[in-house]
Amino acid sequence: MAHVDPELTRQLTEAGDEGMVEAVVRLKPQTSGAASAEPDETERLTHQLMERVQRSAGRQENEVNVFRNLGSFAVSARPAFLKTLIAQPEVAAAVANRQPGAGSIPPVAKRPSTLEDIGRESKRRPPARKVRKSAR
């Protein structure tokens, strides 16, 4: 049985029958002791799974992006398709592709910037202002 992210479960429930959900699916490695499936095996197995699930669920995925070197793929589909996909024996885990709060990083020590802050990351400072001497 595949490990399913609680956030993915929530999104599948909330999407209803016609909503679209995006998930990242990790495949079980075919070789014991391997961290992930081989790149060619990942590609072949992903396409084989998509065809099998399409026949079983009676629906087609919207989009698939195979991560060959990671032994996984991202898929966008209706909940019925994803539920059938997750139940397949080749699937090790599935997580929601869109996680709450994943798109923003909250500021730390928020404060207004000043002209002196320019160039701080590169350790360069703006040139010092030249002071004009008054004529006597």
Side-chain angles (χ1 to χ4, degrees):
M1 178 112 191
H3 171 74
V4 181
D5 173 29
E7 177 61 20
L8 178 58
T9 303
R10 185 191 68 73
Q11 289 179 18
L12 289 170
T13 302
E14 284 187 5
D17 293 337
E18 297 303 314
M20 288 297 225
V21 178
E22 296 176 4
V24 177
V25 177
R26 186 170 48 86
L27 299 170
K28 291 179 183 174
Q30 302 300 312
T31 310
S32 63
S36 64
E38 292 293 320
D40 290 337
E41 182 69 9
T42 298
E43 189 86 38
R44 184 191 64 75
L45 195 53
T46 298
H47 293 295
Q48 182 182 356
L49 276 169
M50 293 299 112
E51 289 174 12
R52 184 185 329 142
V53 172
Q54 183 180 351
R55 285 192 306 268
S56 180
R59 294 193 176 250
Q60 185 173 348
E61 76 281 359
N62 185 42
E63 192 173 349
V64 176
N65 186 8
V66 180
F67 308 127
R68 292 175 42 93
N69 296 321
L70 299 176
S72 60
F73 59 92
V75 59
S76 171
R78 302 214 187 279
F81 184 93
L82 290 175
K83 289 175 185 177
T84 305
L85 174 63
I86 293 167
Q88 300 304 306
E90 297 89 348
V91 174
V95 298
N97 190 41
R98 298 188 186 263
Q99 296 287 329
S104 64
I105 301 172
V108 177
K110 184 177 170 182
R111 65 179 176 77
S113 62
T114 64
L115 286 176
E116 288 76 31
D117 292 333
I118 297 173
R120 177 170 283 173
E121 290 79 20
S122 64
K123 304 286 189 233
R124 293 182 310 171
R125 292 290 204 186
R129 282 200 244 162
K130 294 183 180 182
V131 180
R132 296 177 78 189
K133 293 183 181 180
S134 60
R136 291 190 181 183

